[in-house]
């Protein structure tokens, strides 16, 4: 397990210091098999002694079943800390749990704690390309350098992937897909002639309990197989998928499955053959079923050639309209992958009603660790609180989102950047995603604390870090698109403000601001009726101008600038106030970081400072453009007389 | 003179039919030398007989000097048409004049007409790249396929360039630059190691009286020469330019000179060394002087990192502020190349005051044949009337623009497209540019008539073509940015509407629309003072809200939407009216074209129809976005109750 070629790469949350408590102990690891060997190797690598008479014992519980494939039980008694599991992966996760605890794992007695993941699959999607895409580059929406898998058309040396696998295992990730959901010509061939590249990645991930998934092109039978059709009900097509899938499992026996973006933003799909998305997903599911594989079928289907003049079409409705009627039609191993909100990873959106609408379908909630719309890893924006709010949202009277979904999937923010994530503090997002996918009930502030401990050490100014990050998502929200209205970013690259950037485009993302008011009327009474896709109470709450939460007001209602919010402010004054406050807050964040000087690695310090400078600049730009735009439209002066242009 | 490899390329204004009148005659060509041989070859190619006893005689006047290097005299008496010149180029231009006249050249008597070009240099700048630029492609702002000179890093076969040279000579162009003014790494080397490519082009252009110019990078002494500086006053730098230039003339004895974009949009320049643009231009002029070459020094210098919040900085002022104080400091062979308007080739701008401000400097007016801001060769937009208005504009009390300028230069619209110009009707722009550069007093409608005759033949529905094209520039203006305000295009590619696209950017191109009004206050009284850069009467005319021409109102003034124009309409109603009318007019243009069915080449017909469809679509989009934008801002309903969104 060489790390020679990782010189200059930041260890993230697995620096030698994180293993200090274990290094000082004797450790016993029971059992055999590849994952147990991984644990043993980790123990040795940590500097600990393998011994029979140990203070840390990792072994099997003997009661197969109660902890499942991945769970573990942790306890400490009589000076011995014990991790028990029913299966090898549980030992691995238990080991890394001890790493996280540090000395606390070896202090006092500890009653038996059961740790079983809430989600059977905790997955990262990489939007990486094999070839450099002329517009999107090596990684679509990647803000952390190149891909760790591919460079300019070729597979890379896998040392970096090996290190990545360790990091992921340490936070409980057990599946990744290795190529973008927009599957271009070269990437399509990963399924066939370039399968060896995928198998090599799988070999590196396997010792860490991570399965490889592959994004495939729905038209692969045509593109790769030379068939005249990709009709999912065509027998030849089904045979092609069956055979292609058989070959995949020949090369990768624990292959996870396929990820498909179909009939979406120009990608081919079943609509092209007059078939439903149920037909489409099931064709691939059937090919995978004999081998235990799954297909992740994205629900991101909408008309991206909408006419902006047409106010009756509502992109927010699209996923529900397309998929809710299909509930019950999907195979058990077809997982419908639904973005958390009805639009597209905005800083603030309501929860997608699709998640509650398909009780007979396995649903995965899709999040975005890569900060496409939340500062692109140039802004410090800790997303733990957002994801915690999403997963804990009581979407039905019976269950929250984490209870309704079977899985959590997220778009990775990792690249070949020395800090992995561009902004060093964005590591905390990757970390938090893994931890919340394992246990959505965890407190995101405590998760951040964990990350600080293992990554930056226990001696740093933790108060300053919390002050920078705890509220940084809400800070980002405060200086960008107001009150849930969304999409005020520059078209194309999506960085920085452009209030009207998408207003007259075919993308279905409008705010309808005029001289009198702003917002999208999605009510049943007078608007697009999107509120009707929600179960009670949300269907009525969102419909009601009085009960709708402020932060989603403009997502659901078009209101005059003088409308008084639940917080007592008018819409226009709220816009001014939040934008002035948000931009000012970034200055404060930069000042707070100065307290870390000398406490963190100099390279990391420099990188963070550079990013905070950009965040301060960019937040001021957001403030001024948004305020100016609404001042020019509304003509309402700021009650506090601050500078608007 | 092979044309074998031009199968499938449209002959533009030199089809065999254009030579019909000559083909039927016996022709005598006097004299010797390469250009005379070209004329003789053209005569033969036309199908005419070379004979002593001729009805068309081309010869030398014997009174050297009165017609200059390029002029000719045409007359007809006793059944003989005579073209006389003092120099071979005059014969060539006289020959093509006879081609244009067709049978009319051989009808009745014709008193002696002198034709001497108004401009000593009539030049096209190609913004072509050798390498494909990752953003701009093979040709920056090219809408006609690839480059005729280069493809993917290599020089192309020159058959196409040979045909291009003929076309240009036929309209009097005598100079072209062969690479983009943004000179990237590979293109920089055209001056040195790739000079052979340029020499090969020069060899092909020479028989048609066209000289080659080269865009060079101001930092070439550093980039190519490895010197530590490109300071124009440094002796080593001057020596480097002298030697590089000597080598150029060794390879291309009639080389025209250099074109330089310095200190502009990121290109290096003298400012980087604390020197003036006079110093910069003169360094290159001095290197060229011993060989009779010239440097075209672009005046397009402005701050492209402006703060949109800062209303005191005015990009329109920049060229004058930078260059007017330098009048008298430029060498005789340094030509200041000034865009016709103070901003950037907008559909409507006032004339650049720089053209009147530098009487002791050789000024070239720069136009744009490539339709970057006038429909990108997808919209039919005949620019002859615009250029005619520009060149004939009485900028000072003593002289019009054509009188003040020594040269006209334009950015070419030609590529390797089968019709040369993408839109077949855009050929008329290239044609008209050449003709107006030769004689700015020509009527643009008559020029169009000429183009129709030679290109489409004398039998086509000329009335329909005039109805489509004569007013097409004003039609384009009517459905795009109103009243001279400029820049409402999509950032980057500049096609289609985006009213706020540049409003909050660093590019200095703003309209300042708010709920009350729109426009840029450039008055001395309350604005940026740009009006003060004009001589009388314009200085006062533009300053005055009452006297300022409607079509430039928003360029010079910020006015309320209810402001009444000289034409009696309010600003807002004018916006609505012109946009509805303009879009409707494109539908009429499409209907008019149908009258040409069967009268023109089928491939050309298809191409034009396809473009007219797009023009109709795009004009409706412009109409709706602009009207909606201003309706949402102003709240003023259309007096005629038409649909606004």
């Amino acid at each position: 397990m060489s790390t020679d070629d990782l010189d200059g790469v930041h260890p993230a949350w697995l620096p030698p210091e994180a293993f200090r408590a274990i290094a000082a102990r004797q450790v016993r690891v029971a059992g055999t098999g590849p994952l147990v060997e991984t644990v043993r190797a980790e123990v040795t690598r940590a500097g600990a002694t393998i011994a029979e008479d140990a203070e840390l014992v990792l072994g099997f519980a003997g009661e197969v079943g109660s902890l499942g494939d991945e769970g573990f039980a942790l306890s400490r008694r009589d000076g011995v800390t014990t991790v028990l599991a029913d299966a090898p992966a549980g030992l691995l996760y238990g080991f890394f749990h001890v790493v996280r605890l540090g000395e606390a794992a070896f202090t006092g007695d500890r009653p038996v704690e059961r740790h079983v993941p809430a989600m059977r699959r905790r997955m990262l999607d990489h939007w990486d390309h094999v070839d450099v895409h002329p517009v999107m580059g090596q990684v679509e929406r990647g803000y952390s350098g190149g891909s760790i898998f591919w460079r300019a058309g070729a597979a890379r040396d896998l040392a970096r992937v090996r290190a990545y696998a360790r990091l992921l295992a340490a936070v409980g990730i057990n599946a990744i897909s290795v190529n973008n959901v927009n599957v271009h010509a070269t990437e399509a061939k990963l399924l066939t002639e370039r399968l060896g590249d995928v198998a090599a990645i799988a070999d590196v991930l396997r010792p860490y309990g991570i399965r490889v998934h592959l994004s495939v092109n729905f038209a692969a039978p045509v593109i790769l197989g030379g068939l005249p059709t990709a009709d999912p009900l065509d027998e030849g097509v089904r045979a092609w998928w069956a055979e292609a899938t058989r070959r995949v499992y020949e090369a990768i026996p624990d292959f996870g499955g396929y990820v498909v973006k179909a009939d979406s933003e120009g990608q081919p799909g079943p609509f092209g053959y007059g078939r439903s998305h149920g037909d489409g997903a099931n064709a691939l599911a059937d090919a995978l079923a004999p081998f235990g594989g799954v297909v992740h079928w994205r629900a991101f289907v909408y008309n991206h050639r909408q006419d902006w003049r047409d106010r009756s079409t509502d992109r927010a409705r699209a996923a529900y309209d397309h998929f809710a009627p299909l509930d019950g039609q999907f195979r058990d191993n077809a997982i419908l992958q639904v973005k958390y909100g009805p639009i597209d990873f905005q800083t603030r959106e309501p929860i997608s009603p699709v998640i509650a609408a398909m009780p007979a379908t396995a649903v995965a909630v899709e999040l975005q660790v890569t900060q496409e719309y939340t500062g692109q890893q140039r802004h410090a924006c800790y997303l733990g609180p957002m994801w915690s709010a999403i997963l804990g949202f009581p979407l039905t009277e019976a269950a929250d989102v984490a209870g309704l979904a079977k899985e959590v999937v997220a778009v990775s923010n990792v690249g070949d950047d020395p800090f992995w994530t561009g902004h060093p503090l964005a590591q905390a997002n990757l970390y938090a995603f893994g931890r919340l996918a394992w246990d959505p009930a965890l407190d995101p502030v405590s998760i951040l604390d964990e990350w600080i401990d293992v990554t930056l050490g226990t001696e740093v100014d933790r108060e300053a870090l919390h002050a920078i990050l705890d509220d940084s998502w809400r800070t980002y929200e405060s200086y960008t698109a107001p009150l849930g209205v969304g999409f005020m970013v520059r078209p194309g690259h999506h960085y920085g403000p452009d209030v009207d950037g998408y207003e007259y485009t075919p993308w279905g993302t409008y705010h309808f601001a005029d001289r009198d008011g702003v917002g999208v009327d999605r009510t049943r009474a007078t608007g697009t009726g999107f509120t009707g896709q929600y179960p009670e109470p949300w269907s009525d709450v969102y419909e009601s101008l009085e009960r709708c939460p402020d932060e989603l007001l403009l997502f659901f209602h078009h209101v005059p600038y003088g409308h008084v919010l639940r917080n007592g402010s008018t819409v226009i004054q709220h816009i001014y106030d939040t934008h002035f406050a948000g931009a000012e807050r970034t200055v404060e964040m930069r000042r707070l970081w100065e307290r870390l000087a000398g406490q963190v690695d100099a390279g990391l310090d420099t990188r963070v400072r550079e990013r905070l400078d950009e965040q301060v600049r960019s937040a001021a730009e957001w403030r001024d453009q948004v305020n100016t735009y609404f001042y020019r439209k509304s003509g309402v002066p700021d009650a506090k007389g601050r500078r608007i242009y």
Side-chain angles (χ1 to χ4, degrees), chain A residues 281-538:
Chain A
N282 290 344
L284 275 69
D286 289 345
L288 289 156
F291 310 99
V294 297
V295 58
H296 285 86
W297 192 266
R298 293 180 90 227
F300 189 52
V301 178
Y302 71 99
N303 176 9
H304 71 291
R305 301 191 183 282
Q306 192 180 325
D307 188 339
W308 59 268
R309 301 165 189 81
D310 166 23
R311 290 211 191 188
S312 67
T313 302
D314 181 2
R315 171 168 165 179
R317 293 187 58 112
Y320 184 102
D321 286 343
H322 282 300
F323 286 95
L326 304 180
D327 189 36
Q329 296 179 23
F330 290 92
R331 301 278 189 270
D332 288 347
N333 66 330
I335 296 152
L336 191 67
Q337 185 166 320
V338 183
K339 292 190 183 193
Y340 70 85
I343 302 286
D344 189 17
F345 298 136
Q346 297 302 286
T347 311
R348 177 74 73 171
E349 292 187 45
I351 300 299
S352 171
V354 175
I355 296 166
M358 304 187 67
T361 307
V363 166
V365 179
E366 185 175 333
L367 307 173
Q368 203 180 37
V369 187
T370 195
Q371 294 169 238
E372 178 177 0
Y373 297 102
T374 50
Q376 303 198 350
Q377 281 128 265
R378 291 188 251 181
H379 295 228
C381 181
Y382 176 53
L383 295 170
M386 178 201 215
W387 299 330
S388 174
I390 289 167
L391 295 170
F393 185 78
L395 183 57
T396 70
E397 284 174 4
D400 61 14
V401 168
L404 293 163
K406 292 276 181 302
E407 301 188 1
V408 194
V409 179
V411 186
S412 173
N413 67 346
V414 160
D416 70 358
D417 170 72
F419 296 99
W420 297 91
T421 54
H423 200 313
L425 300 181
Q427 286 182 10
N429 286 329
L430 185 62
Y431 186 93
F433 168 71
R435 297 289 289 132
L436 284 167
W438 180 284
D439 182 358
L442 289 174
D443 169 24
V445 174
S446 305
I447 294 175
L448 185 58
D449 232 34
E450 279 181 13
W451 176 78
I452 294 168
D453 271 352
V454 283
T455 306
L456 302 175
T458 50
E459 307 298 314
V460 296
D461 187 336
R462 151 183 331 267
E463 194 192 347
L465 284 162
H466 278 291
I468 291 167
L469 289 173
D470 286 359
D471 291 329
S472 54
W473 163 53
R474 286 194 169 79
T475 297
Y476 187 82
E477 179 186 23
S478 71
Y479 59 76
T480 57
L483 297 162
V485 78
F487 268 94
M488 292 186 167
V489 292
R490 278 262 145 199
H493 58 60
H494 296 168
Y495 187 75
D498 184 351
V499 178
D500 265 5
Y502 277 97
E503 191 60 16
Y504 302 95
T505 72
W507 294 96
T509 48
Y510 315 118
H511 53 64
F512 300 122
D514 61 20
R515 77 196 316 255
D516 301 315
V518 57
V520 189
D521 184 350
R522 291 189 161 108
T523 63
R524 303 189 284 292
T526 54
T528 69
F530 171 65
T531 58
Q533 294 185 345
Y534 283 89
E536 287 301 343
W538 303 112

Side-chain angles (χ1 to χ4, degrees), chain A residues 18-31 35-59 74-76 79-84 91-92 94-99 102-103 105-106:
Chain A
F19 296 89
R20 204 181 290 151
I22 291 174
R25 264 96 188 173
Q26 303 210 7
V27 182
R28 175 149 52 101
V29 183
L35 263 66
V36 175
E37 287 314 315
T38 300
V39 176
R40 217 166 259 134
E42 284 291 339
V43 167
T44 310
R45 178 177 177 159
T49 315
I50 301 268
E52 276 305 301
D53 181 16
E55 191 179 342
L56 171 60
V57 173
L58 299 115
L74 175 74
S75 60
R76 181 172 170 87
V80 176
T81 302
T82 306
V83 172
L84 294 178
L91 280 201
L92 184 67
F95 170 78
F96 280 119
H97 189 72
V98 172
V99 173
E103 273 305 324
F106 302 99

Side-chain angles (χ1 to χ4, degrees), chain A residues 206-282:
Chain A
R206 190 172 296 114
Y208 288 96
I210 300 166
R211 288 187 179 204
V212 160
H213 297 241
L214 199 58
S215 294
V216 296
N217 190 307
F218 187 77
V222 176
I223 297 169
L224 303 172
L227 300 189
T229 177
D231 179 351
L233 299 191
D234 180 272
E235 277 312 313
V237 168
R238 297 175 65 83
W240 188 89
W241 279 114
E243 175 59 15
T245 305
R246 192 190 62 71
R247 285 177 196 273
V248 171
Y249 278 91
E250 216 167 71
I252 310 168
D254 60 348
F255 179 69
Y258 300 137
V259 179
V260 185
K261 175 178 182 178
D263 290 317
S264 174
E265 299 180 339
Q267 291 291 305
F271 286 164
Y273 305 95
R275 307 299 183 187
S276 78
H277 276 247
D279 297 332
N282 290 344

